[in-house]
């Protein structure tokens, strides 16, 4: 039986330095949608509680938003700070946990790229209440997560098999991954990483991780219990969400009331 525990603070420690190579370009569609959404909703201040290496923070800052980034992983925060220093940008990146961090009162809070899946259901419920406390009245909570109904339909889980090759100068990084899904929404992914510089012997490592994924109806109930009302659900690029054909969902929830 596959079990799932909330990820520890060192979960991405080994992946931090190569994270952008595999994910930065894949974040562009989501970043554009966030910018469009926030302009439509007159958002000015944004708290990113799972900022990683800062993709959403940098994008939104360039778009004129006031953004602060937190992440549970110190190595990811270090990469984000190095990028900000190189670009000569005065951005705030701090280590923090979406379940407990209190950073102020913002127009919007985001936790992007399946970040909430690293938590158990119980810890995600805790995080939702904490996110509520970081929002102004009527503020928005925006996050994305894989769609369980899609993953359970036919052989769709096999479509998540990947083989990515990312060369950079004389350095080559390769990631091979396949995944499984259980009936209670635990997605298990098995990774092989191949790193090689020039003609040096390759470094090959294996990794395993689990994500908790959800159905639309589950999220609506959890959000209501945390003081939110679902405003809109779409695909990450803003297209219409369909329960059995959409791989992921981008959820926009509005704070209705404070939760003690």
């Amino acid at each position: 039986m596959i079990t799932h525990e909330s990820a520890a603070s060192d979960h991405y420690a080994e992946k931090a330095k190569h994270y952008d190579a595999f994910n930065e370009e894949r974040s562009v569609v989501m970043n554009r949608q966030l910018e469009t959404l926030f302009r439509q909703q007159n958002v000015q201040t944004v708290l990113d509680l799972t900022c990683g290496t800062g993709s959403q923070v940098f994008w939104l800052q360039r778009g004129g938003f006031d953004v602060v980034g937190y992440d549970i992983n110190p190595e990811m925060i270090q990469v984000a700070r190095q990028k900000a220093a190189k670009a000569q940008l005065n951005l705030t990146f701090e280590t923090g946990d979406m379940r407990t961090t209190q950073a102020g009162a913002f127009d919007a809070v985001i936790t992007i790229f399946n970040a909430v899946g690293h938590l158990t259901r119980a810890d995600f419920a805790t995080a939702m209440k904490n996110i509520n406390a970081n929002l102004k009245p009527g503020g928005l909570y925006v996050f994305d997560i894989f769609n369980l109904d899609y993953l359970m339909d036919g052989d769709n889980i096999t479509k998540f098999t990947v083989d990515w090759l990312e060369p950079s100068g004389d350095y080559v990084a390769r990631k091979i991954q396949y995944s499984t899904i259980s009936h209670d929404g635990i997605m298990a992914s098995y990774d092989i990483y191949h790193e090689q510089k020039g003609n040096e012997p390759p470094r090959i490592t294996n990794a395993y991780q689990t994500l908790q994924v959800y159905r639309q109806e589950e999220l609506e109930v959890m959000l209501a219990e945390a003081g939110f009302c679902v405003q809109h659900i779409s695909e990450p690029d803003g297209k219409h969400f369909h329960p059995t054909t959409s791989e992921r969902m981008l959820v926009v929830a509005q704070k209705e009331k404070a939760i003690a």
Side-chain angles (χ1 to χ4, degrees), residues 118-191:
H118 290 293
L119 299 178
T120 62
R121 279 190 173 91
D123 278 350
F124 186 25
T126 298
M128 285 182 180
K129 293 178 181 178
N130 184 59
I131 288 165
N132 181 299
N134 279 281
L135 282 168
K136 297 176 182 178
L140 302 179
Y141 173 37
V142 185
F143 66 96
D144 70 312
I145 188 67
F146 287 125
N147 172 22
L148 180 55
D149 281 326
Y150 172 82
L151 296 181
M152 296 297 296
D153 188 39
D155 63 351
N156 282 339
I157 189 64
T158 65
K159 298 175 183 177
F160 285 75
T161 302
V162 301
D163 188 348
W164 294 337
L165 186 68
E166 295 289 345
S168 178
D170 64 346
Y171 175 85
V172 175
R174 184 178 181 185
K175 175 182 178 180
I176 302 170
Q177 181 187 86
Y178 75 93
S179 301
T180 62
I181 187 73
S182 67
H183 288 282
D184 55 350
I186 300 175
M187 182 178 179
S189 298
Y190 305 83
D191 302 331

Side-chain angles (χ1 to χ4, degrees), residues 33-45:
Q33 180 59 21
L34 289 173
E35 181 178 1
T36 298
L37 169 68
F38 289 156
R39 292 197 189 286
Q40 292 172 343
Q41 300 278 357
N42 296 315
V43 166
Q44 295 181 353
T45 59

Side-chain angles (χ1 to χ4, degrees), residues 48 51 57 67-70 77 81 84 89-94:
D48 187 344
C51 70
V57 174
V67 195
V68 176
Y70 283 76
I77 289 295
R81 286 173 174 168
L89 294 174
N90 184 23
L91 288 169
T92 298
F93 289 104
E94 299 289 347

